[in-house]
Amino acid sequence: MTGPATPATPYSCVKIRTGALVFCGEDVALIRRDRPTGSHYTVPGGNVHPGEDLLEALAREMAEELRLELTDATPPELCWIQDQMVTRPGPTPPPRKLHMIFRCHIAPEVRAGLASVEHDELPDGGTELGIVEWVPYGRAEHLPLFPLIGRAVSALASVDASPGNPYLPPITDANYVWK
C-alpha cells in the first residue's frame, strides 16, 4: 500500500544538456526565438536522453536543429560546463541542469547547406520556431544568450583560442529570470 504522493523537491532531478558553438570563420550559429517578452538566443543543442552518450546526444541535436552531421565539422571540443538551478513557471519542480558546451568549426560550403530555421517541440505537442542566426562571436556577450556563456564566448582571443577555465559561474535566480 502506498501513501499520498510527496511533491518533488526542486532541483532533485538532474538533466544534462549538450550544446555546440558551431563556428564558420568568425561567425557562430545561434538560435533566436522571438517571444512576446522579447527575443532571446540559445546555443544549438538539447537534453541528453537516458543512457545516451554525450557525443551521440550532441550529434543527434546538431542533426535535428541545424541539419549538421558532425562528420562535416571538426571534432567537438568541450569548452565549458555551466550548472543551472533556476526556478521557473509551471506545475513541475525545476530540474537542475548541467550544460556541456562544445565547440566545432565548419567550412562555408557546409554552412550553405544548413538549416535556417528550427522547430522546437513543445510539451503540448506544438512547435516553437527558432531562427538560425550567424553572429560574429565577439557580439555574444551583448545578446540575451542562454546558457549564460556570452561573456566567455566574446572573451576568446580567436575562434580557436583556449577557452580557459571550463567551469562557468552557475545560473541561479540571482543572475537569471525565466521568461
Side-chain angles (χ1 to χ4, degrees):
M1 187 157 101
T2 61
T6 305
T9 305
Y11 317 119
S12 61
C13 172
V14 178
K15 293 184 176 185
I16 300 172
R17 181 181 189 276
T18 60
L21 293 165
V22 178
F23 283 90
C24 183
E26 300 275 316
D27 293 339
V28 63
L30 300 174
I31 297 176
R32 188 187 81 229
R33 298 195 192 288
D34 300 319
R35 295 183 175 154
T37 56
S39 296
H40 77 276
Y41 292 80
T42 60
V43 174
N47 291 333
V48 176
H49 295 160
E52 188 176 31
D53 176 85
L54 291 176
L55 291 179
E56 289 173 4
L58 184 65
R60 176 181 49 77
E61 288 292 341
M62 293 303 104
E64 288 175 6
E65 296 194 355
L66 298 178
R67 290 194 321 245
L68 172 63
E69 297 300 324
L70 283 183
T71 54
D72 292 334
T74 60
E77 171 194 8
L78 180 61
C79 290
W80 298 292
I81 300 167
Q82 192 166 46
D83 194 359
Q84 169 193 328
M85 288 185 283
V86 177
T87 56
R88 64 175 189 198
T92 59
R96 181 176 191 172
K97 194 171 280 193
L98 295 176
H99 296 270
M100 312 289 287
I101 307 299
F102 293 82
R103 166 177 57 187
C104 61
H105 300 270
I106 61 169
E109 49 275 7
V110 173
R111 175 180 169 173
L114 297 183
S116 58
V117 296
E118 185 264 340
H119 298 274
D120 199 21
E121 293 180 22
L122 300 173
D124 67 4
T127 61
E128 179 182 42
L129 180 68
I131 306 298
V132 177
E133 192 170 310
W134 291 87
V135 178
Y137 81 96
R139 285 192 38 224
E141 72 177 305
H142 304 293
L143 299 173
L145 177 59
F146 192 84
L148 304 181
I149 63 169
R151 182 173 290 152
V153 173
S154 290
L156 291 170
S158 67
V159 296
D160 55 358
S162 170
N165 183 354
Y167 186 74
L168 295 179
I171 305 167
T172 66
D173 290 335
N175 61 10
Y176 186 78
V177 177
W178 200 267
K179 296 178 184 180

